[in-house]
Amino acid sequence: MTNKETNDISYRDLYVSPDKIYPRQVNGHFARLRILTVLLLLGCYYVTPWLLWNGDQAVLFDLPARQFRYFGVTFWPQDFIYLTLLLIIAAVGLFLFTTIAGRLWCGYACPQTVWTETFLWIEEFVEGNRNKRIKMDKGPWNFNKLTRKSTKHFLWVSYALFTGYTFVGYFSPIRELGLNLLQFNLGPWEWFWVLFYSLATYGNAGWLREQVCLHMCPYARFQSSMFDKDTLIISYDDNRGESRGKRKKNSDYQLKGLGDCIDCNQCVHVCPTGIDIRDGLQYECIACAACIDVCDNVMEKMGYDKGLIKYTTEVEEKTLGNEKTLFFRPRTIIYTSIFLVVVVAFFYLISNRIPLDINVLRDRNNLYTESFSGEIENTYTVKILNMSQKKQTYVLRVEGFNTIKLEGESEFEIESGEILMLPVRIKIPGEQLTRRSNDIQFTIQASGEEAYKAASAAKFLGPKKK
Ligand code: SF4
Ligand code: SF4
């Protein structure tokens, strides 16, 4: 290539701007299922932070207090293991689900799909159906277009702001947050996150839409590695559909060599990512099944069998249904086993969780002191955290030697969520110490709560033995 030719290629030539996609709304079995899923998930998202439990917000990530409150149970940074296990469950669950059901998550439950769907409902409500929207966008700016566009964006922005506010309501008490927002009295971080999340919702669901799935979503990139020939996919039956072509209803199309596809392009018009499923399985397909619904409607009108586009698997598709899809295969067995092990571990640990933490810090400035009577003394700071929901009375004990004395408070009360730093002195007769460094154990027990017991090991130092 000459220099001149190279210079002639501008960035504009290298990047082809995608045409705007105007997905048509569709009626059908899977569309109803998606609407139901969208309403259910959004209902959970918007309602959850408003729920109360014993007068407090039931679900709250209280970051300044380093607590996560969940229906009366408070989790602390010490409970990080539960979050780790939950993340492993979510990741393995997603692998398992993808291997079995393909991209059903993308088509029905992904936040991008869910919010885009509702933004499209608003768009259709304000600007009309697909044809009207295309016509309006191609037409000149006039009063009607200006009014409809500004109404749509006003509704989108309001909805996005409410979404951003709800998101921050998971981290800051939502009722106070609402009052402060109405009075424009939020803190800088609250403003930042409300506006950031609102902008992300408005931008992703209103403008970027399918571009997020096509170019930004990492899951879309690696999910194909979890697919195998038994994974659920959306497929067009080209044995039955080809040759495609227009025809009149009730005409003897088979005589003309035509298949069942009437080439109406409805499956392309409803596709939120703008692809033609008749070209085969493509990474852009999010398995939303809109093309199945619309094609089934077309088939019904034509008097043909439904299922020209359908959920199937590669194995069924290639063998024309002679071979059946396998649910239990090495991949699913491995994922299911890991999933079950982690789920059982999670529930075992959470049901045996003790809402109490003890941490013992030895006074490093003073190794030990020896009294005239021959007793060796070490000093410690015992840090006790009451992770339960109510005030507790605790008893502190120390073990490890036949004669071991704890001097200082040994019975005390701690409010729910409070930390007590307790200085204590431990004394052991010198003749019992056979080594310089000795193991002892502090135990803490809540009065009247047999199961609320925790222990922490510590070192007790004495003089060197000759
Ligand atoms: S909707 Fe069905 S009949 Fe119409 S073009 Fe698509 S596959 Fe063919
Ligand atoms: S091809 Fe069909 S299932 Fe795939 S994204 Fe498009 S409409 Fe949805």
Side-chain angles (χ1 to χ4, degrees), residues 360-368 378-381 459 461:
V360 179
L361 307 166
R362 224 184 141 276
D363 182 359
R364 290 180 186 276
N365 296 324
N366 186 10
L367 285 185
Y368 66 90
N378 281 201
T379 52
Y380 302 83
T381 302
K459 290 285 179 200
L461 299 185

Side-chain angles (χ1 to χ4, degrees), residues 236 261-267 278 294-295 298-299 308-309:
Y236 164 74
C261 174
I262 67 167
D263 206 15
C264 61
N265 274 335
Q266 293 297 322
C267 48
R278 294 172 298 172
V294 81
C295 190
V298 171
M299 293 294 109
L308 180 56
I309 304 175

Side-chain angles (χ1 to χ4, degrees), residues 234 267 270-277 284-292 309:
I234 302 253
C267 48
V270 296
C271 179
T273 59
I275 58 168
D276 188 340
I277 192 66
E284 293 95 334
C285 175
I286 58 166
C288 67
C291 54
I292 299 184
I309 304 175

